[in-house]
Amino acid sequence: MALGTIRANRMRSLLTSLGILIGVMNVVTMVALISGVNESVMRVFKTLGTNSFVVSKFPASNVTYEQYLEYIRRKDFTSADADAVEAACASVEAVSPQTAVARKVRRGSTSTKEIMILGVTPEYQYISDSRVADGRFFAWPESDRRRQVAVLGSTVRDHVFGSTDAVGKTVFVGEHRFLVVGVMERMGEMFGQSMDDYVIIPFATAGKLYGERLMTRLSVKVKSAELLDRAIVETEQVLRKRRGLRAGDRNDFDVITQTQLVEMYQNLTRVTWIVMIGISAIALAVGGVGIMNIMLVSVTERTREIGIRKAVGARARDVAAQFLVEAAVLSALGGLVGLGIAAGLAKLIATATPIPAVVQPWSIAVALGVSVGVGVFFGLYPASKAARLDPIVALRHE
């Protein structure tokens, strides 16, 4: 009977469900977007590894301009710092100093924009768990002798060499010629930005050509994830001593771990989740009020029908159940349509943008459960009103 009533007033039913539709569509689409972004970000964070950390002049969090001026004046790390940490810290397995500059990469008339040129030691490949897709990583003799050899990110290879093999050929990094010895495995994109737009060269070569003062961090690999905290303490002790810090002085460097990056990211996305829940709750509440309003109108319009049902033996709970089911079905229909639109939007976003938006199964269950719950909650009052009608008064209703 409830479904028959809904079918008889299709347009009114659709408009009544509009608020629920918008609320569910908003929830499912936002969950798909955030889940896709989370997947991309976590994939990048995993490259840091659970048994490695970075020592940097700058913290992982955003800084103000005044803080930037403070941090930039911090003492630079040296290759001797990396050697000292590796030699003195029993929990540390490998250390690679890192320096970075921005230069164009050119071959013939083809040139990239200015991209990151990363100067590291051969241990960096092991510390970062990165892999070479073609050719090889440069070796210690090449690094020690400051050879001008380079390993390209896959985006740089695609841009400069196209479909031809890059290994064994030369490119200009800025004004200096480098021999390409390898191409790194493709990492993909994050927020539309390629993660493969870089060139890796030996740390010593970068120091010779661009200056060692550009180095800002040390990449440290620990012997096991269980030794991470001990390795951080050991590294801090070594660096504090080498940087002349006294007891009570604050560290003039920051240690960045994968856990810290994940926590910082989760704090940022937590705000997004709260806003999303707030907007969705408002939409669902508006939709619920709409359902209650239309159900009250329905009770008034069908007062005589209610009177007839009661006159032929229908109990109050039967009448209440009829209107509750009608409200729940109206709300569920809105949820289903909203779910279908959200799935289409997620697919469109995943196709047209680099965000891998995927509708999560749990969000479907939650969205449908909440939409039915909203229908039942806001249908209680109209159902109760219908159940309490006196059959004689209802039969006299015009």
Side-chain angles (χ1 to χ4, degrees):
M1 186 176 290
L3 290 174
T5 305
I6 293 171
R7 278 197 295 268
N9 301 279
R10 291 177 181 172
M11 182 54 69
R12 189 171 76 176
S13 300
L14 176 63
L15 294 175
T16 303
S17 305
L18 199 57
I20 305 296
L21 183 155
I22 293 172
V24 169
M25 180 185 71
N26 181 54
V27 169
V28 177
T29 305
M30 289 300 292
V31 168
L33 277 172
I34 293 176
S35 299
V37 173
N38 284 348
E39 185 181 326
S40 297
V41 173
M42 292 304 169
R43 190 169 60 241
V44 173
F45 286 166
K46 283 180 181 177
T47 61
L48 187 57
T50 56
N51 60 340
S52 61
F53 61 90
V54 170
V55 186
S56 172
K57 291 169 60 175
F58 295 90
S61 57
N62 292 330
V63 297
T64 63
Y65 179 68
E66 290 73 19
Q67 290 172 324
Y68 171 80
L69 293 179
E70 175 190 344
Y71 295 137
I72 197 68
R73 286 195 293 268
R74 286 177 165 180
K75 189 184 294 184
D76 288 300
F77 297 107
T78 66
S79 56
D81 290 330
D83 294 338
V85 170
E86 189 166 357
C89 299
S91 305
V92 171
E93 186 169 10
V95 183
S96 172
Q98 263 183 258
T99 183
V101 295
R103 293 289 188 277
K104 292 181 180 178
V105 177
R106 175 172 55 85
R107 177 176 171 80
S109 59
T110 304
S111 174
T112 69
K113 60 183 179 181
E114 285 201 338
I115 59 172
M116 183 175 69
I117 312 300
L118 190 63
V120 298
T121 63
E123 285 184 315
Y124 175 78
Q125 185 191 7
Y126 172 64
I127 294 171
S128 62
D129 291 327
S130 51
R131 298 177 182 176
V132 175
D134 191 19
R136 60 178 176 81
F137 210 78
F138 51 78
W140 274 111
E142 295 169 318
S143 179
D144 291 340
R145 294 169 188 168
R146 302 183 180 184
R147 300 296 190 198
Q148 293 181 204
V149 290
V151 183
L152 306 183
S154 58
T155 300
V156 180
R157 190 275 309 273
D158 295 344
H159 186 90
V160 177
F161 290 96
S163 58
T164 60
D165 189 9
V167 176
K169 298 175 181 173
T170 60
V171 293
F172 279 90
V173 179
E175 65 276 23
H176 303 287
R177 185 193 297 270
F178 279 77
L179 173 67
V180 178
V181 296
V183 177
M184 298 302 291
E185 194 173 73
R186 192 178 299 276
M187 295 175 64
E189 295 183 341
M190 186 170 74
F191 303 126
Q193 298 297 316
S194 172
M195 302 296 294
D196 304 294
D197 216 3
Y198 62 89
V199 173
I200 301 177
I201 63 176
F203 173 77
T205 306
K208 180 184 72 173
L209 299 178
Y210 308 117
E212 292 190 5
R213 279 187 57 79
L214 294 170
M215 182 177 66
T216 57
R217 54 172 49 187
L218 301 175
S219 294
V220 183
K221 191 174 187 69
V222 184
K223 289 181 178 176
S224 71
E226 292 73 25
L227 295 173
L228 181 65
D229 292 339
R230 186 190 298 179
I232 290 174
V233 172
E234 293 173 350
T235 301
E236 287 179 337
Q237 289 173 344
V238 171
L239 291 178
R240 283 181 62 86
K241 185 176 180 181
R242 290 184 58 81
R243 295 164 86 86
L245 297 177
R246 293 173 293 185
D249 288 347
R250 292 170 52 192
N251 288 344
D252 61 351
F253 55 87
D254 279 83
V255 175
I256 304 169
T257 65
Q258 182 198 60
T259 303
Q260 289 174 326
L261 293 175
V262 171
E263 287 176 354
M264 187 178 69
Y265 175 73
Q266 288 176 337
N267 287 335
L268 290 173
T269 55
R270 189 171 294 123
V271 176
T272 306
W273 280 104
I274 292 172
V275 172
M276 180 195 74
I277 291 171
I279 293 173
S280 302
I282 292 172
L284 289 171
V286 171
V289 170
I291 286 177
M292 183 171 66
N293 183 52
I294 211 69
M295 293 305 297
L296 286 171
V297 172
S298 182
V299 169
T300 302
E301 289 176 346
R302 293 154 62 190
T303 299
R304 191 173 179 81
E305 172 194 320
I306 296 168
I308 293 172
R309 287 199 66 202
K310 285 194 168 184
V312 298
R315 294 166 294 183
R317 63 183 181 186
D318 297 326
V319 176
Q322 175 191 344
F323 282 88
L324 272 181
V325 169
E326 192 171 323
V329 170
L330 267 175
S331 191
L333 285 175
L336 282 172
V337 176
L339 183 60
I341 295 174
L345 284 174
K347 190 171 184 179
L348 180 65
I349 291 168
T351 304
T353 74
I355 301 175
V358 178
V359 174
Q360 300 296 315
W362 66 265
S363 69
I364 297 174
V366 170
L368 291 179
V370 169
S371 62
V372 172
V374 167
V376 171
F377 179 78
F378 284 94
L380 280 174
Y381 177 65
S384 172
K385 185 178 179 182
R388 285 186 282 105
L389 280 177
D390 185 305
I392 297 176
V393 175
L395 286 170
R396 290 175 177 171
H397 183 78
E398 295 294 334

